[in-house]
Amino acid sequence: MLQYVKGISFEPNSVYIFLRGSDTKLSGFAKRYNASNTKASHVALAIYTDSLRVYHVNTTDSRRDNLIIETFEDFSYHPQQKHSYLGIWKLQNVSQFAISKIQEKIAYFKGLDVRFDYRFDIESDQKLYCSEFIYKALSYANNEHYQLPLTVMEVPKEHRFFLKTDTLHFYPTDFFLAWNQLEFVAEWDSTKTQ
C-alpha cells in the first residue's frame, strides 16, 4: 500500500474520508458491521490546509488519547504490512467556514482525552469510535447536509458478550457512502494487486 499512496495527490482546502481495511482479527470483527463495503474496518477524516492531516479514533495499546492526528503516510503504514484495503473519497463543496467548524470540533475532542468506545454509546463525547467521531465532526460543521440516522442491527450471538448488547445503534464504518456529494478519488485492494 505504501507504494500506491505515494502516487495520490490531494487538493488544498479540501476534506477527505479514508476507509482502511486490515487482515487482523479485530478488523474481521468490524467488517461485519458495515453497510456495504466488505473490505474496510476503519474510517478516518483528512483535511488539507497547509498540508494533509489525518484524524481518526482508533484502538491503541497505550492509555493516552485515542484521537490520533498523523500524516497520510503514517496512516497507511502497518509494521507487519497487514493493511489490505484503502479507499479515498473527497467531500464536494466544503466551504472554508465548514472546514474551520470541523477543525473546531476536532480541537474540542482533542481536549477531552478521548478513549475508544467499545460500547458504541452515541451520547458520550469522551468515548468515541471511528465513524462516530467523523459523523460528529462533520455534522457539527453542517448538521443538515451531513444528517444521517443511526443504523440499528441485531448483534450476532458470538459478539454479544463483548458488546454487552443484543441490538446495536451505531454509524457503520462506511456510513458516509450514503451522502450525495462525494467524489471517489482512489482505491487500493491487496487482493487485486497481487
Side-chain angles (χ1 to χ4, degrees):
M1 182 192 315
L2 285 174
Q3 278 302 110
Y4 179 78
V5 301
K6 289 178 182 175
I8 300 171
S9 60
F10 297 95
E11 296 175 24
N13 303 310
S14 298
V15 178
Y16 296 88
I17 299 180
F18 299 158
L19 282 178
R20 185 178 73 192
S22 301
D23 292 328
T24 64
K25 187 175 182 178
L26 186 58
S27 181
F29 178 91
K31 289 174 187 176
R32 294 181 64 180
Y33 294 86
N34 288 348
S36 61
N37 186 303
T38 59
K39 298 184 180 289
S41 56
H42 186 60
V43 62
L45 183 68
I47 301 173
Y48 192 125
T49 49
D50 57 334
S51 63
L52 186 72
R53 288 181 187 85
V54 180
Y55 306 89
H56 59 116
V57 173
N58 203 358
T59 58
T60 64
D61 293 331
S62 73
R63 296 189 176 271
R64 63 183 179 85
D65 189 359
N66 292 144
L67 173 51
I68 301 164
I69 302 171
E70 62 188 352
T71 66
F72 181 47
E73 290 75 20
D74 288 341
F75 177 78
S76 304
Y77 173 77
H78 191 286
Q80 288 89 38
Q81 297 182 354
K82 291 192 175 185
H83 290 322
S84 57
Y85 176 79
L86 176 71
I88 302 170
W89 289 261
K90 178 184 172 193
L91 293 178
Q92 295 179 320
N93 305 318
V94 181
S95 68
Q96 198 58 50
F97 177 76
I99 291 174
S100 297
K101 295 295 281 183
I102 295 166
Q103 291 172 318
E104 180 182 311
K105 191 66 169 182
I106 292 170
Y108 161 76
F109 286 135
K110 199 63 183 161
L112 295 179
D113 193 28
V114 168
R115 297 292 187 255
F116 190 85
D117 186 2
Y118 291 98
R119 300 291 178 251
F120 296 85
D121 174 14
I122 198 70
E123 300 302 318
S124 171
D125 278 351
Q126 191 155 10
K127 290 185 176 181
L128 302 168
Y129 54 95
C130 60
S131 49
E132 176 189 14
F133 159 69
I134 292 169
Y135 180 81
K136 286 182 174 181
L138 293 175
S139 62
Y140 178 77
N142 187 336
N143 193 35
E144 287 181 21
H145 186 70
Y146 298 116
Q147 189 71 0
L148 283 176
L150 288 165
T151 295
V152 179
M153 179 179 169
E154 184 177 343
V155 175
K157 288 182 178 149
E158 64 271 22
H159 295 176
R160 290 178 185 174
F161 176 78
F162 179 72
L163 293 173
K164 308 288 188 228
T165 187
D166 296 341
T167 306
L168 200 59
H169 301 259
F170 69 109
Y171 290 106
T173 301
D174 59 348
F175 74 95
F176 66 93
L177 293 174
W179 291 332
N180 293 340
Q181 296 189 340
L182 285 175
E183 176 186 331
F184 176 76
V185 175
E187 184 176 58
W188 176 83
D189 183 343
S190 65
T191 63
K192 294 179 181 176
T193 56
Q194 296 177 342

